[in-house]
mmCIF file of all heavy atoms in Angstrom:
data_model
loop_
_atom_site.group_PDB
_atom_site.id
_atom_site.type_symbol
_atom_site.label_atom_id
_atom_site.label_comp_id
_atom_site.label_asym_id
_atom_site.label_seq_id
_atom_site.Cartn_x
_atom_site.Cartn_y
_atom_site.Cartn_z
ATOM 1 N N PRO G 1 121.861 -109.108 35.409
ATOM 2 C CA PRO G 1 121.979 -109.558 34.016
ATOM 3 C C PRO G 1 122.242 -108.456 33.053
ATOM 4 O O PRO G 1 121.955 -107.347 33.334
ATOM 5 C CB PRO G 1 120.539 -110.111 33.780
ATOM 6 C CG PRO G 1 119.667 -109.280 34.744
ATOM 7 C CD PRO G 1 120.528 -109.058 35.866
ATOM 8 N N ASP G 2 122.991 -108.873 31.941
ATOM 9 C CA ASP G 2 123.260 -107.945 30.996
ATOM 10 C C ASP G 2 121.971 -107.486 30.272
ATOM 11 O O ASP G 2 121.151 -108.244 29.894
ATOM 12 C CB ASP G 2 124.187 -108.617 29.911
ATOM 13 C CG ASP G 2 124.744 -107.665 28.905
ATOM 14 O OD1 ASP G 2 124.740 -106.426 29.190
ATOM 15 O OD2 ASP G 2 125.280 -108.092 27.909
ATOM 16 N N PRO G 3 121.719 -106.140 30.204
ATOM 17 C CA PRO G 3 120.430 -105.659 29.676
ATOM 18 C C PRO G 3 120.129 -106.168 28.274
ATOM 19 O O PRO G 3 119.064 -106.322 27.831
ATOM 20 C CB PRO G 3 120.554 -104.132 29.742
ATOM 21 C CG PRO G 3 121.983 -103.875 29.888
ATOM 22 C CD PRO G 3 122.658 -105.004 30.546
ATOM 23 N N ASP G 4 121.241 -106.372 27.476
ATOM 24 C CA ASP G 4 120.997 -106.774 26.113
ATOM 25 C C ASP G 4 121.119 -108.335 25.973
ATOM 26 O O ASP G 4 120.731 -108.802 24.940
ATOM 27 C CB ASP G 4 122.058 -106.126 25.204
ATOM 28 C CG ASP G 4 121.988 -104.680 25.223
ATOM 29 O OD1 ASP G 4 120.836 -104.189 25.383
ATOM 30 O OD2 ASP G 4 122.980 -104.023 24.954
ATOM 31 N N GLY G 5 121.633 -108.945 26.959
ATOM 32 C CA GLY G 5 121.822 -110.415 26.897
ATOM 33 C C GLY G 5 122.949 -110.768 25.862
ATOM 34 O O GLY G 5 123.006 -111.894 25.402
ATOM 35 N N ASP G 6 123.861 -109.846 25.644
ATOM 36 C CA ASP G 6 124.946 -110.098 24.600
ATOM 37 C C ASP G 6 126.144 -110.858 25.273
ATOM 38 O O ASP G 6 127.021 -111.246 24.557
ATOM 39 C CB ASP G 6 125.405 -108.763 24.068
ATOM 40 C CG ASP G 6 124.305 -108.046 23.368
ATOM 41 O OD1 ASP G 6 123.319 -108.696 23.060
ATOM 42 O OD2 ASP G 6 124.528 -106.818 23.020
ATOM 43 N N GLU G 7 126.140 -110.944 26.564
ATOM 44 C CA GLU G 7 127.405 -111.489 27.246
ATOM 45 C C GLU G 7 127.630 -112.911 26.887
ATOM 46 O O GLU G 7 128.824 -113.241 26.601
ATOM 47 C CB GLU G 7 127.098 -111.427 28.811
ATOM 48 C CG GLU G 7 128.346 -111.717 29.565
ATOM 49 C CD GLU G 7 129.381 -110.560 29.403
ATOM 50 O OE1 GLU G 7 129.050 -109.350 29.184
ATOM 51 O OE2 GLU G 7 130.541 -110.913 29.492
ATOM 52 N N LYS G 8 126.732 -113.736 26.624
ATOM 53 C CA LYS G 8 126.911 -115.187 26.303
ATOM 54 C C LYS G 8 127.156 -115.324 24.793
ATOM 55 O O LYS G 8 127.514 -116.472 24.338
ATOM 56 C CB LYS G 8 125.795 -116.013 26.776
ATOM 57 C CG LYS G 8 125.558 -115.932 28.273
ATOM 58 C CD LYS G 8 124.349 -116.610 28.742
ATOM 59 C CE LYS G 8 124.109 -116.446 30.183
ATOM 60 N NZ LYS G 8 122.885 -116.955 30.664
ATOM 61 N N LEU G 9 126.925 -114.342 23.957
ATOM 62 C CA LEU G 9 126.985 -114.472 22.550
ATOM 63 C C LEU G 9 128.439 -114.342 22.106
ATOM 64 O O LEU G 9 129.236 -113.592 22.707
ATOM 65 C CB LEU G 9 126.137 -113.488 21.869
ATOM 66 C CG LEU G 9 124.666 -113.572 22.083
ATOM 67 C CD1 LEU G 9 124.001 -112.409 21.376
ATOM 68 C CD2 LEU G 9 124.115 -114.847 21.599
ATOM 69 N N GLY G 10 128.782 -114.938 21.076
ATOM 70 C CA GLY G 10 130.078 -114.742 20.411
ATOM 71 C C GLY G 10 130.128 -113.536 19.558
ATOM 72 O O GLY G 10 129.091 -112.793 19.469
ATOM 73 N N GLU G 11 131.214 -113.336 18.885
ATOM 74 C CA GLU G 11 131.376 -112.103 18.018
ATOM 75 C C GLU G 11 130.292 -112.184 16.829
ATOM 76 O O GLU G 11 129.638 -111.194 16.602
ATOM 77 C CB GLU G 11 132.738 -112.141 17.416
ATOM 78 C CG GLU G 11 133.103 -110.759 16.849
ATOM 79 C CD GLU G 11 133.171 -109.700 17.861
ATOM 80 O OE1 GLU G 11 133.478 -109.939 19.064
ATOM 81 O OE2 GLU G 11 132.803 -108.520 17.501
ATOM 82 N N GLY G 12 130.091 -113.373 16.267
ATOM 83 C CA GLY G 12 129.095 -113.460 15.229
ATOM 84 C C GLY G 12 127.690 -113.304 15.651
ATOM 85 O O GLY G 12 126.828 -112.666 15.067
ATOM 86 N N GLY G 13 127.397 -113.800 16.892
ATOM 87 C CA GLY G 13 126.051 -113.629 17.542
ATOM 88 C C GLY G 13 125.752 -112.179 17.872
ATOM 89 O O GLY G 13 124.690 -111.665 17.535
ATOM 90 N N LYS G 14 126.819 -111.453 18.276
ATOM 91 C CA LYS G 14 126.559 -110.042 18.637
ATOM 92 C C LYS G 14 126.336 -109.242 17.373
ATOM 93 O O LYS G 14 125.468 -108.346 17.300
ATOM 94 C CB LYS G 14 127.833 -109.467 19.330
ATOM 95 C CG LYS G 14 127.946 -109.936 20.723
ATOM 96 C CD LYS G 14 129.234 -109.336 21.377
ATOM 97 C CE LYS G 14 129.441 -109.869 22.741
ATOM 98 N NZ LYS G 14 130.606 -109.356 23.408
ATOM 99 N N LYS G 15 127.043 -109.633 16.280
ATOM 100 C CA LYS G 15 126.837 -108.935 15.022
ATOM 101 C C LYS G 15 125.459 -109.135 14.456
ATOM 102 O O LYS G 15 124.745 -108.216 13.976
ATOM 103 C CB LYS G 15 127.932 -109.383 14.040
ATOM 104 C CG LYS G 15 127.874 -108.614 12.730
ATOM 105 C CD LYS G 15 129.075 -109.047 11.809
ATOM 106 C CE LYS G 15 129.042 -108.324 10.502
ATOM 107 N NZ LYS G 15 130.118 -108.743 9.641
ATOM 108 N N ALA G 16 124.983 -110.406 14.511
ATOM 109 C CA ALA G 16 123.652 -110.745 13.999
ATOM 110 C C ALA G 16 122.565 -110.074 14.884
ATOM 111 O O ALA G 16 121.611 -109.541 14.349
ATOM 112 C CB ALA G 16 123.499 -112.252 14.088
ATOM 113 N N LEU G 17 122.769 -109.973 16.214
ATOM 114 C CA LEU G 17 121.871 -109.346 17.078
ATOM 115 C C LEU G 17 121.759 -107.764 16.733
ATOM 116 O O LEU G 17 120.637 -107.258 16.789
ATOM 117 C CB LEU G 17 122.259 -109.492 18.509
ATOM 118 C CG LEU G 17 121.240 -109.099 19.538
ATOM 119 C CD1 LEU G 17 119.893 -109.743 19.428
ATOM 120 C CD2 LEU G 17 121.723 -109.330 20.970
ATOM 121 N N THR G 18 122.894 -107.207 16.522
ATOM 122 C CA THR G 18 122.958 -105.804 16.207
ATOM 123 C C THR G 18 122.166 -105.542 14.856
ATOM 124 O O THR G 18 121.481 -104.617 14.720
ATOM 125 C CB THR G 18 124.398 -105.320 16.090
ATOM 126 O OG1 THR G 18 125.091 -105.611 17.281
ATOM 127 C CG2 THR G 18 124.510 -103.833 15.779
ATOM 128 N N THR G 19 122.453 -106.413 13.889
ATOM 129 C CA THR G 19 121.734 -106.287 12.620
ATOM 130 C C THR G 19 120.233 -106.404 12.827
ATOM 131 O O THR G 19 119.476 -105.620 12.174
ATOM 132 C CB THR G 19 122.217 -107.384 11.645
ATOM 133 O OG1 THR G 19 123.691 -107.296 11.582
ATOM 134 C CG2 THR G 19 121.687 -107.241 10.230
ATOM 135 N N GLU G 20 119.808 -107.326 13.636
ATOM 136 C CA GLU G 20 118.412 -107.572 13.878
ATOM 137 C C GLU G 20 117.772 -106.382 14.535
ATOM 138 O O GLU G 20 116.631 -105.913 14.233
ATOM 139 C CB GLU G 20 118.118 -108.779 14.754
ATOM 140 C CG GLU G 20 118.219 -110.125 13.991
ATOM 141 C CD GLU G 20 117.166 -110.210 12.939
ATOM 142 O OE1 GLU G 20 116.024 -109.914 13.159
ATOM 143 O OE2 GLU G 20 117.560 -110.667 11.841
ATOM 144 N N ARG G 21 118.514 -105.729 15.504
ATOM 145 C CA ARG G 21 117.932 -104.613 16.246
ATOM 146 C C ARG G 21 117.853 -103.392 15.254
ATOM 147 O O ARG G 21 116.911 -102.598 15.324
ATOM 148 C CB ARG G 21 118.949 -104.244 17.383
ATOM 149 C CG ARG G 21 118.784 -105.203 18.537
ATOM 150 C CD ARG G 21 119.764 -104.862 19.661
ATOM 151 N NE ARG G 21 119.537 -105.839 20.684
ATOM 152 C CZ ARG G 21 120.475 -106.104 21.601
ATOM 153 N NH1 ARG G 21 121.519 -105.408 21.611
ATOM 154 N NH2 ARG G 21 120.263 -106.960 22.597
ATOM 155 N N ASP G 22 118.836 -103.266 14.426
ATOM 156 C CA ASP G 22 118.761 -102.077 13.473
ATOM 157 C C ASP G 22 117.644 -102.282 12.485
ATOM 158 O O ASP G 22 116.926 -101.286 12.161
ATOM 159 C CB ASP G 22 120.115 -102.014 12.676
ATOM 160 C CG ASP G 22 121.246 -101.568 13.567
ATOM 161 O OD1 ASP G 22 121.027 -100.976 14.600
ATOM 162 O OD2 ASP G 22 122.395 -101.717 13.095
ATOM 163 N N ALA G 23 117.392 -103.582 12.016
ATOM 164 C CA ALA G 23 116.253 -103.841 11.134
ATOM 165 C C ALA G 23 114.919 -103.551 11.850
ATOM 166 O O ALA G 23 113.962 -103.029 11.206
ATOM 167 C CB ALA G 23 116.413 -105.304 10.713
ATOM 168 N N ARG G 24 114.827 -103.853 13.128
ATOM 169 C CA ARG G 24 113.674 -103.663 13.883
ATOM 170 C C ARG G 24 113.330 -102.172 13.972
ATOM 171 O O ARG G 24 112.237 -101.706 13.836
ATOM 172 C CB ARG G 24 113.766 -104.283 15.271
ATOM 173 C CG ARG G 24 112.533 -104.068 16.050
ATOM 174 C CD ARG G 24 112.574 -104.680 17.379
ATOM 175 N NE ARG G 24 111.305 -104.389 18.142
ATOM 176 C CZ ARG G 24 111.165 -104.657 19.444
ATOM 177 N NH1 ARG G 24 112.094 -105.263 20.095
ATOM 178 N NH2 ARG G 24 110.043 -104.330 20.042
ATOM 179 N N LYS G 25 114.389 -101.344 14.333
ATOM 180 C CA LYS G 25 114.263 -99.941 14.413
ATOM 181 C C LYS G 25 113.790 -99.402 13.088
ATOM 182 O O LYS G 25 112.857 -98.508 13.049
ATOM 183 C CB LYS G 25 115.532 -99.283 14.774
ATOM 184 C CG LYS G 25 115.854 -99.446 16.315
ATOM 185 C CD LYS G 25 117.172 -98.786 16.606
ATOM 186 C CE LYS G 25 117.638 -99.145 18.050
ATOM 187 N NZ LYS G 25 118.925 -98.503 18.346
ATOM 188 N N ALA G 26 114.269 -99.845 12.011
ATOM 189 C CA ALA G 26 113.964 -99.353 10.634
ATOM 190 C C ALA G 26 112.549 -99.699 10.407
ATOM 191 O O ALA G 26 111.677 -98.883 9.839
ATOM 192 C CB ALA G 26 114.937 -99.886 9.612
ATOM 193 N N ALA G 27 112.110 -100.959 10.792
ATOM 194 C CA ALA G 27 110.731 -101.412 10.513
ATOM 195 C C ALA G 27 109.689 -100.665 11.372
ATOM 196 O O ALA G 27 108.722 -100.228 10.836
ATOM 197 C CB ALA G 27 110.603 -102.886 10.886
ATOM 198 N N GLU G 28 110.144 -100.311 12.634
ATOM 199 C CA GLU G 28 109.197 -99.484 13.446
ATOM 200 C C GLU G 28 109.031 -98.045 12.914
ATOM 201 O O GLU G 28 107.954 -97.501 12.840
ATOM 202 C CB GLU G 28 109.753 -99.456 14.869
ATOM 203 C CG GLU G 28 109.567 -100.693 15.676
ATOM 204 C CD GLU G 28 110.213 -100.699 16.964
ATOM 205 O OE1 GLU G 28 110.949 -99.698 17.317
ATOM 206 O OE2 GLU G 28 110.072 -101.641 17.794
ATOM 207 N N GLN G 29 110.138 -97.497 12.377
ATOM 208 C CA GLN G 29 110.054 -96.175 11.773
ATOM 209 C C GLN G 29 109.183 -96.194 10.493
ATOM 210 O O GLN G 29 108.400 -95.282 10.220
ATOM 211 C CB GLN G 29 111.473 -95.626 11.444
ATOM 212 C CG GLN G 29 111.511 -94.315 10.787
ATOM 213 C CD GLN G 29 111.007 -93.257 11.859
ATOM 214 O OE1 GLN G 29 111.233 -93.332 13.084
ATOM 215 N NE2 GLN G 29 110.269 -92.291 11.346
ATOM 216 N N LYS G 30 109.337 -97.243 9.765
ATOM 217 C CA LYS G 30 108.528 -97.403 8.535
ATOM 218 C C LYS G 30 107.020 -97.570 8.917
ATOM 219 O O LYS G 30 106.153 -96.955 8.246
ATOM 220 C CB LYS G 30 109.027 -98.652 7.726
ATOM 221 C CG LYS G 30 108.313 -98.712 6.320
ATOM 222 C CD LYS G 30 108.913 -99.884 5.550
ATOM 223 C CE LYS G 30 108.297 -99.871 4.216
ATOM 224 N NZ LYS G 30 108.845 -101.034 3.397
ATOM 225 N N VAL G 31 106.731 -98.267 9.956
ATOM 226 C CA VAL G 31 105.331 -98.356 10.433
ATOM 227 C C VAL G 31 104.759 -97.013 10.839
ATOM 228 O O VAL G 31 103.578 -96.585 10.467
ATOM 229 C CB VAL G 31 105.233 -99.368 11.638
ATOM 230 C CG1 VAL G 31 103.882 -99.315 12.295
ATOM 231 C CG2 VAL G 31 105.496 -100.808 11.114
ATOM 232 N N LYS G 32 105.568 -96.238 11.532
ATOM 233 C CA LYS G 32 105.141 -94.897 11.960
ATOM 234 C C LYS G 32 104.868 -94.030 10.740
ATOM 235 O O LYS G 32 103.856 -93.268 10.726
ATOM 236 C CB LYS G 32 106.143 -94.212 12.810
ATOM 237 C CG LYS G 32 106.226 -94.783 14.222
ATOM 238 C CD LYS G 32 107.306 -94.069 15.064
ATOM 239 C CE LYS G 32 107.432 -94.713 16.442
ATOM 240 N NZ LYS G 32 108.523 -94.133 17.206
ATOM 241 N N ASP G 33 105.783 -94.107 9.836
ATOM 242 C CA ASP G 33 105.514 -93.303 8.543
ATOM 243 C C ASP G 33 104.307 -93.707 7.846
ATOM 244 O O ASP G 33 103.519 -92.873 7.295
ATOM 245 C CB ASP G 33 106.797 -93.445 7.581
ATOM 246 C CG ASP G 33 108.037 -92.788 8.214
ATOM 247 O OD1 ASP G 33 107.896 -91.980 9.108
ATOM 248 O OD2 ASP G 33 109.148 -93.128 7.734
ATOM 249 N N LEU G 34 104.083 -94.990 7.661
ATOM 250 C CA LEU G 34 102.908 -95.545 7.012
ATOM 251 C C LEU G 34 101.619 -95.129 7.798
ATOM 252 O O LEU G 34 100.608 -94.771 7.132
ATOM 253 C CB LEU G 34 102.972 -97.045 6.834
ATOM 254 C CG LEU G 34 103.973 -97.502 5.830
ATOM 255 C CD1 LEU G 34 104.151 -98.996 5.838
ATOM 256 C CD2 LEU G 34 103.727 -96.969 4.431
ATOM 257 N N GLU G 35 101.633 -95.200 9.056
ATOM 258 C CA GLU G 35 100.449 -94.716 9.866
ATOM 259 C C GLU G 35 100.168 -93.256 9.617
ATOM 260 O O GLU G 35 99.022 -92.878 9.563
ATOM 261 C CB GLU G 35 100.664 -95.009 11.330
ATOM 262 C CG GLU G 35 100.613 -96.476 11.733
ATOM 263 C CD GLU G 35 100.999 -96.658 13.171
ATOM 264 O OE1 GLU G 35 101.410 -95.743 13.865
ATOM 265 O OE2 GLU G 35 100.709 -97.846 13.629
ATOM 266 N N LYS G 36 101.251 -92.449 9.538
ATOM 267 C CA LYS G 36 101.074 -91.001 9.261
ATOM 268 C C LYS G 36 100.493 -90.820 7.927
ATOM 269 O O LYS G 36 99.542 -89.975 7.691
ATOM 270 C CB LYS G 36 102.387 -90.246 9.449
ATOM 271 C CG LYS G 36 102.207 -88.760 9.338
ATOM 272 C CD LYS G 36 103.501 -88.030 9.510
ATOM 273 C CE LYS G 36 103.229 -86.619 9.382
ATOM 274 N NZ LYS G 36 104.373 -85.775 9.543
ATOM 275 N N GLN G 37 100.930 -91.571 6.961
ATOM 276 C CA GLN G 37 100.436 -91.433 5.568
ATOM 277 C C GLN G 37 98.939 -91.887 5.477
ATOM 278 O O GLN G 37 98.152 -91.286 4.845
ATOM 279 C CB GLN G 37 101.214 -92.350 4.608
ATOM 280 C CG GLN G 37 102.598 -91.767 4.282
ATOM 281 C CD GLN G 37 103.299 -92.646 3.307
ATOM 282 O OE1 GLN G 37 102.818 -93.744 2.944
ATOM 283 N NE2 GLN G 37 104.571 -92.270 2.956
ATOM 284 N N LEU G 38 98.595 -92.849 6.289
ATOM 285 C CA LEU G 38 97.248 -93.339 6.388
ATOM 286 C C LEU G 38 96.349 -92.258 6.969
ATOM 287 O O LEU G 38 95.241 -92.006 6.475
ATOM 288 C CB LEU G 38 97.115 -94.653 7.171
ATOM 289 C CG LEU G 38 95.718 -95.214 7.298
ATOM 290 C CD1 LEU G 38 95.208 -95.680 5.943
ATOM 291 C CD2 LEU G 38 95.769 -96.424 8.231
ATOM 292 N N GLU G 39 96.812 -91.578 8.030
ATOM 293 C CA GLU G 39 96.026 -90.544 8.612
ATOM 294 C C GLU G 39 95.874 -89.403 7.672
ATOM 295 O O GLU G 39 94.832 -88.714 7.493
ATOM 296 C CB GLU G 39 96.745 -90.031 9.861
ATOM 297 C CG GLU G 39 96.580 -91.009 11.065
ATOM 298 C CD GLU G 39 97.346 -90.467 12.275
ATOM 299 O OE1 GLU G 39 97.641 -89.227 12.287
ATOM 300 O OE2 GLU G 39 97.558 -91.206 13.179
ATOM 301 N N ASP G 40 96.986 -89.085 6.913
ATOM 302 C CA ASP G 40 96.947 -88.000 5.914
ATOM 303 C C ASP G 40 96.035 -88.268 4.707
ATOM 304 O O ASP G 40 95.334 -87.457 4.190
ATOM 305 C CB ASP G 40 98.369 -87.677 5.416
ATOM 306 C CG ASP G 40 99.219 -86.972 6.400
ATOM 307 O OD1 ASP G 40 98.674 -86.445 7.435
ATOM 308 O OD2 ASP G 40 100.465 -86.852 6.199
#
């Protein structure tokens, strides 16, 4: 299986999935920053 599961998606689906992944990475980074601020 495709590790990303992008094989069955069209061009628009791949673009939306990439946008969602980038948003998730940004959110995880923001959570880490907030946890560090909380500890500080």
Side-chain angles (χ1 to χ4, degrees):
D2 189 15
D4 297 332
D6 297 348
E7 192 66 30
K8 298 175 186 172
L9 299 176
E11 197 64 33
K14 287 180 183 179
K15 187 176 179 183
L17 188 59
T18 303
T19 305
E20 283 296 318
R21 287 180 181 157
D22 292 341
R24 180 179 177 189
K25 285 179 186 177
E28 287 175 353
Q29 183 63 37
K30 188 174 182 179
V31 167
K32 286 180 184 178
D33 291 342
L34 290 174
E35 286 175 350
K36 186 175 180 183
Q37 286 179 1
L38 181 64
E39 287 178 17
D40 287 344

